[in-house]
Amino acid sequence: MRTAARLAVIGGATLGLLGSAGVAGAAYAPRLVVQATGSQTKITLSQAVTDDPTAKITIYVPLGYTIDLSQPPRTGIGTSSGRINATDLAPPSGLNIDFGGGIQSVAVAEAPPSAALCSPGAHQAIWVVSPSAAGVSLEPIPIIVDRITSGPEAAFASAKLQVCLRPPDLPPGTPGRSPQGARFLNATFTILGAFTVVGQSAARWTALFTPYRPGFGSVNAADTVESQSIPRASGGVSLHGQLVRRGTGWFARLTGSVADAGAAARVQLLAGSSVLASITTAPSGGFTKTVPIKRTTVFRATATVPESDVTSQGCAPMLAACSSVTAAGFTAESAKVTVKVKPVKKKRRR
């Protein structure tokens, strides 16, 4: 409970918000990872604790998605989870704290004042993340959401989300400082129903990350970097089974492939709920495994494809220095396959 006690000192604040607006150096290399399936979108933002602190994040939803921002106020539209580092709680390296909470829509007129500071002007929707950690409520985080229908951004995006953060590395007591020197490390927003992928779109999501000048609390727009993510929502796993006999025993030869893996995937072969084998696919995505069976058996396969770094492909479009490009991981399950064991015919006695 020591963490809870320390968080109680923070009161209602941790992820404080503040409005503001060449290749990135080693001091700033944040990442975006997006997984999109149907009407569920999982957006993960992360940076190293040694990176410059982030001032603002702008996330662009690519073309190929339908946008629904009609949710009434106080409608739950998703969940959040993540981690911050609070320097003041365990100086000088800080204390890592995990948080979680819901995401709700609010009336634009009822948005927290920090939303207007982050992006002045009229907006189509405001979502509020209400995080908590160890039973302590933390400061709400506004997310500003707008459709994009005109201007240069309309060439590659259908909507954008904006989030701003307070500087964590100013002296304690400085106005506008993030409470307890809390620094963003990672956050995952799982959004339900707002963005729906049309068909099997694998269009790239784009995020612009703008840092603060370390120790000054002023926005360093010149060092804004771009990170992109390819959802890879179309991946699947196929499975085929064939009965083979070896000596006096029956075996099932199981073959299949993982689509759109982009890298070696981990496949589990199951009979019912029992795991028979765990194998790694070939670079092509294919796999083969022969297992002994005594009776007719129903098999299935599950595949786990890890997130991969494809920064060598470069960012497209190039809006700022390209920090990273990721291909999101995914999991998939095959259809069930039945391998029938043929009964052994007994020889008739004469």
Side-chain angles (χ1 to χ4, degrees), residues 14-336:
T14 297
L15 285 177
L17 303 178
L18 177 68
S20 64
V23 176
Y28 196 58
R31 294 170 64 87
L32 167 73
V33 178
V34 178
Q35 294 172 300
T37 305
S39 59
Q40 176 177 294
T41 306
K42 182 179 291 187
I43 302 170
T44 299
L45 311 164
S46 63
Q47 69 172 86
V49 69
T50 53
D51 280 358
D52 294 345
T54 293
K56 183 172 183 177
I57 306 168
T58 301
I59 305 164
Y60 289 100
V61 182
L63 303 175
Y65 286 75
T66 60
I67 314 300
D68 182 6
L69 303 181
S70 64
Q71 298 85 5
R74 297 177 181 82
T75 297
I77 60 170
T79 60
S80 68
S81 61
R83 174 172 288 189
I84 58 172
N85 179 274
T87 303
D88 294 0
L89 298 184
S93 59
L95 176 69
N96 289 341
I97 302 170
D98 293 329
F99 68 87
I103 304 174
Q104 283 191 330
S105 59
V106 301
V108 174
E110 298 176 357
S114 54
L117 293 173
C118 180
S119 180
H123 297 286
Q124 295 177 347
I126 303 291
W127 301 336
V128 174
V129 180
S130 300
S132 64
V136 177
S137 295
L138 309 178
E139 188 174 25
I141 310 165
I143 302 175
I144 303 163
V145 190
D146 292 291
R147 290 188 184 87
I148 298 174
T149 58
S150 61
E153 295 170 325
F156 62 89
S158 56
K160 67 180 175 181
L161 295 74
Q162 300 178 80
V163 180
C164 295
L165 306 170
R166 292 184 183 179
D169 56 354
L170 297 177
T174 302
R177 178 181 186 262
S178 178
Q180 299 299 320
R183 177 189 298 261
F184 152 77
L185 296 180
N186 64 71
T188 296
F189 304 125
T190 301
I191 309 298
L192 303 174
F195 310 118
T196 301
V197 61
V198 179
Q200 298 295 334
S201 174
R204 296 185 181 202
W205 287 64
T206 294
L208 294 179
F209 294 82
T210 301
Y212 283 108
R213 291 174 56 84
F216 288 90
S218 57
V219 175
N220 183 9
D223 279 356
T224 294
V225 298
E226 178 177 5
S227 178
Q228 296 187 339
S229 181
I230 305 169
R232 292 200 303 192
S234 60
V237 56
S238 63
L239 182 66
H240 307 280
Q242 179 184 9
L243 182 69
V244 295
R245 192 175 180 95
R246 294 181 179 176
T248 60
W250 291 108
F251 292 79
R253 179 181 292 130
L254 304 171
T255 60
S257 63
V258 179
D260 199 26
R266 195 68 178 167
V267 175
Q268 284 192 328
L269 298 173
L270 302 98
S273 58
S274 299
V275 177
L276 301 179
S278 294
I279 55 179
T280 300
T281 63
S284 63
F287 61 89
T288 301
K289 185 71 175 179
T290 301
V291 297
I293 58 173
K294 295 181 178 180
R295 60 184 66 85
T296 296
T297 305
V298 178
F299 298 95
R300 60 190 174 92
T302 61
T304 301
V305 178
E307 170 194 326
S308 58
D309 189 299
V310 291
T311 305
S312 59
Q313 295 181 9
C315 289
M318 178 71 79
L319 305 178
C322 192
S323 169
S324 64
V325 183
T326 61
F330 64 86
T331 58
E333 183 172 329
S334 73
K336 294 179 180 179

